Amino acid sequence: MARVERSRTPQPDIPRSPLRQLLRTRLDGVRALPAALRRGYRARRTPPTAVLVEPPHPWVRALGLTAVTLLGAWLGLLLLGTFRAPVGPMDTSMTLRPSLTGGTRINVSPLGDLELRSHDAPVRLDVDVDRLDPVRSRALVDHPERFAGLQDEVTHDVTRGALGLALQSCVAVASGATALGLAVYRRPRRALAAGGLALTLLGASATAAYATWNPKSVLEPKFSGLLSSAPSVVGNARSIVSEFNVYQKELARLVTNVTKLYDATSTLPAYQPDPTTLRVLHVSDIHLNPGSWRIIASLVKQYRINVIIDTGDTMDHGSAAENHFLDPASTLGAPYVWVRGNHDSRTTQKYLTGRRNVTVLDNGRVTSVAGVRIAGIGDPQFTPDRSVVAAGDPAERTAGGHLADVLRTERLAGTPVDIALAHNPTAVTETDGLVPLALAGHIHHRENTTLPRGTRLMVEGSTGGGLRAVQNKKPAPVQASVLYLDRATKRLQAWDEITLGGLGLSRAEVSRHLPRENQPGATPAPSRPRHPSAPSSGPSSGAVSPPARSPSGSPG
């Protein structure tokens, strides 16, 4: 078939619309412009700018990851870190919490808190006693012989609870850090890095806690809560001193005491003092606070105090009108030994002298109360009298020197003194090396130091404060101390610092302390020989005998 050739005849022009013709004309006009004009036109146009964001510094990224990890781990512990475990007859909840000081806090609600310096690490162990199992606790109370096996049971329960808490905490910190990392970075690798870092930090904290673990921390607990239950929880001095190296037994004793406290309904169990321990209550600077007498009477009853020592400033102005404030001193339930302070006048001293159950010490007078030989001197200054210029520390040192002379005389006679008293610490410091223990007040806060020649100086805070308690925004605390003395040597075994929360008295803290010579592993101080003419010191510390009687008839 022959190919049909295309016609080369020119096609007629297709009519165009006016709009297309206008656009065509404009385009041809632009193309016809000189190249120089086109370049200038293009130069006036602003080209798009590419914005480059520099990546953060590696240290900034590391700090950010650490912050996310710590926050996530903390949230994880709050939400998932609680492990519930039975400990003896109690159901407890164990939790790890971030802390700068470490340690262990045992919440025995409603009795209060017990704090132990068990370790130094950035985590604290919180143990909350949720409830007492009625069946297990009643079995222990009804059958006291079962307390003997409580030691192994408590040790096993605590070990199992610690392992469970460690596993629970690992899951909690890893989950919390990973979840928060995923929410912040939205990258699985970064989230997993946060979780791994959280486990690493927890492992490092556990290593630090293990390296600094102090099982003897149960010997010096700090109790905060109901004042009346404190003696029963912290225990007596003899078990603390003579059995301090048995951690399991102390832990079991703590559980036993808490069990007994929980079982009590209306009255708490009475504190059973060790018959070989003398208990001295040190108060000072009452300053006309009538509530102080009730506090002292309560402490005497709860701790079975043998001797009350007041280092002065019982009054504010020393006037005769204030004398009747001193009347309760005869009815506190224990012998009351008093030295004059700089706010106590000679009139005050005369009113107290000769009152029943009260012994006033001045000019180095020596007395023996409950087998403890005590010497004291009154403050040489009476500061409320503005007509007399205050003599200052030189007068105090002179008075202390007179007291020191008396102590040397007693030592040469073979009747050494056990405790020296003065109101001002400057005065009693002069007795360094002549007595094992010196007591003072005056400065309204506690100080406990060992003087260069070996005398322990214990300065008590204010046991009243008077109007001074409301001068500041926060009421001044009420302070007193219970000193435990060995009946044979009269040496200090331990002491409890008692602090009540100001005017409200709604909270009490009892902190147990041991002298260095009674610390675990220390060599006990040698017993001091006594002259045959000295008063009998009673049975030895290792004997068990009925308690002696003080002059007032109270247990000695």
Side-chain angles (χ1 to χ4, degrees):
M1 181 179 294
R3 180 179 298 175
V4 178
E5 295 183 0
R6 293 182 181 177
S7 174
R8 295 183 183 274
T9 305
Q11 296 294 329
D13 292 338
I14 302 174
R16 299 175 178 176
S17 65
L19 180 59
R20 292 185 62 183
Q21 290 179 357
L22 180 60
L23 292 176
R24 184 75 176 180
T25 302
R26 294 290 185 183
L27 184 58
D28 291 342
V30 173
R31 289 175 179 175
L33 290 174
L37 293 177
R38 290 200 304 268
R39 287 194 298 269
Y41 170 76
R42 292 170 181 170
R44 288 194 300 269
R45 298 179 60 192
T46 303
T49 303
V51 180
L52 299 178
V53 180
E54 295 184 1
H57 193 277
W59 285 108
V60 176
R61 295 169 59 188
L63 289 176
L65 179 62
T66 302
V68 171
T69 300
L70 293 176
L71 180 58
W74 178 66
L75 293 175
L77 286 176
L78 286 179
L79 297 177
L80 305 173
T82 301
F83 183 79
R84 290 176 172 81
V87 177
M90 300 178 296
D91 292 332
T92 66
S93 298
M94 302 182 180
T95 312
L96 292 181
R97 290 284 184 260
S99 173
L100 296 177
T101 58
T104 300
R105 183 189 65 84
I106 304 174
N107 179 23
V108 192
S109 179
L111 302 178
D113 297 338
L114 195 67
E115 297 181 12
L116 307 174
R117 296 289 305 201
S118 57
H119 62 275
D120 295 322
V123 289
R124 183 188 72 205
L125 173 61
D126 287 356
V127 181
D128 294 328
V129 179
D130 297 329
R131 73 183 189 98
L132 199 70
D133 184 88
V135 177
R136 288 177 287 168
S137 61
R138 177 53 58 185
L140 284 174
V141 173
D142 292 342
H143 302 281
E145 67 276 4
R146 297 188 182 183
F147 283 117
L150 186 62
Q151 173 181 333
D152 295 334
E153 180 183 353
V154 168
T155 303
H156 178 266
D157 291 344
V158 169
T159 303
R160 184 176 57 182
L163 294 176
L165 177 61
L167 179 61
Q168 186 90 358
S169 299
C170 289
V171 174
V173 299
S175 301
T178 302
L180 186 60
L182 189 61
V184 172
Y185 296 110
R186 301 184 183 277
R187 295 170 58 186
R189 292 182 60 183
R190 299 284 286 177
L192 292 176
L197 180 59
L199 288 176
T200 302
L201 294 176
L202 181 62
S205 300
T207 302
Y210 179 79
T212 59
W213 175 248
N214 178 25
K216 302 177 182 67
S217 59
V218 294
L219 307 179
E220 299 186 65
K222 180 179 180 181
F223 181 83
S224 303
L226 297 176
L227 176 62
S228 58
S229 64
S232 300
V233 174
V234 300
N236 61 60
R238 182 172 181 270
S239 63
I240 292 293
V241 174
S242 62
E243 301 171 358
F244 55 74
N245 59 341
V246 187
Y247 172 65
Q248 294 178 347
K249 181 178 293 187
E250 288 299 315
L251 189 61
R253 181 188 58 79
L254 173 63
V255 173
T256 300
N257 288 340
V258 172
T259 301
K260 291 180 179 179
L261 287 174
Y262 258 113
D263 184 68
T265 54
S266 58
T267 57
L268 294 169
Y271 171 54
Q272 299 297 328
D274 175 25
T276 66
T277 302
L278 293 171
R279 295 158 304 283
V280 177
L281 176 63
H282 183 199
V283 301
S284 188
D285 296 86
I286 293 176
H287 285 288
L288 289 179
N289 186 348
S292 298
W293 299 123
R294 293 190 296 270
I295 295 170
I296 294 173
S298 175
L299 292 173
V300 168
K301 180 179 179 181
Q302 294 297 326
Y303 284 85
R304 301 290 179 88
I305 297 297
N306 302 104
V307 184
I308 305 169
I309 292 179
D310 185 345
T311 48
D313 270 8
T314 314
M315 307 301 235
D316 254 342
H317 303 93
S319 63
E322 298 172 336
N323 284 345
H324 289 290
F325 171 77
L326 300 169
D327 291 344
S330 301
T331 61
L332 297 175
Y336 192 83
V337 180
W338 182 86
V339 292
R340 186 179 68 250
N342 63 294
H343 281 263
D344 303 318
S345 65
R346 299 278 179 175
T347 303
T348 302
Q349 179 168 312
K350 183 178 180 181
Y351 185 82
L352 271 176
T353 301
R355 293 189 66 84
R356 183 178 60 87
N357 222 24
V358 176
T359 301
V360 175
L361 299 183
D362 195 9
N363 298 319
R365 179 190 170 189
V366 181
T367 187
S368 181
V369 182
V372 182
R373 289 180 55 78
I374 308 171
I377 192 166
D379 199 297
Q381 305 181 82
F382 180 56
T383 53
D385 186 359
R386 302 301 181 184
S387 64
V388 179
V389 179
D393 286 348
E396 300 291 345
R397 283 190 286 268
T398 300
H402 178 67
L403 178 59
D405 291 340
V406 174
L407 297 179
R408 291 189 187 93
T409 302
E410 293 292 325
R411 173 177 287 187
L412 291 175
T415 55
V417 173
D418 302 307
I419 303 176
L421 308 181
H423 176 67
N424 196 310
T426 302
V428 80
T429 300
E430 298 296 318
T431 64
D432 184 19
L434 300 174
V435 284
L437 183 61
L439 305 181
H442 183 63
I443 59 177
H444 288 213
H445 67 267
R446 287 194 183 102
E447 287 188 2
N448 193 318
T449 57
T450 301
L451 300 177
R453 296 181 181 177
T455 295
R456 179 180 292 276
L457 172 59
M458 303 185 74
V459 182
E460 189 55 72
S462 175
T463 316
L467 295 178
R468 295 164 178 79
V470 295
Q471 286 178 347
N472 301 321
K473 293 182 179 179
K474 185 178 181 180
V478 175
Q479 297 179 326
S481 295
V482 177
L483 315 179
Y484 301 95
L485 306 181
D486 183 89
R487 183 177 293 273
T489 65
K490 307 305 183 294
R491 293 283 180 171
L492 184 66
Q493 290 184 315
W495 71 92
D496 291 341
E497 293 181 351
I498 302 168
T499 304
L500 291 93
L503 295 177
L505 306 180
S506 59
R507 187 171 180 84
E509 289 185 358
V510 181
S511 181
R512 168 66 51 84
H513 301 274
L514 300 177
R516 184 180 300 275
E517 58 269 20
N518 281 344
Q519 293 287 344
T523 302
S527 59
R528 179 180 53 183
R530 302 185 68 90
H531 193 271
S533 62
S536 174
S537 59
S540 64
S541 59
V544 177
S545 62
R549 293 277 175 178
S550 65
S552 65
S554 60

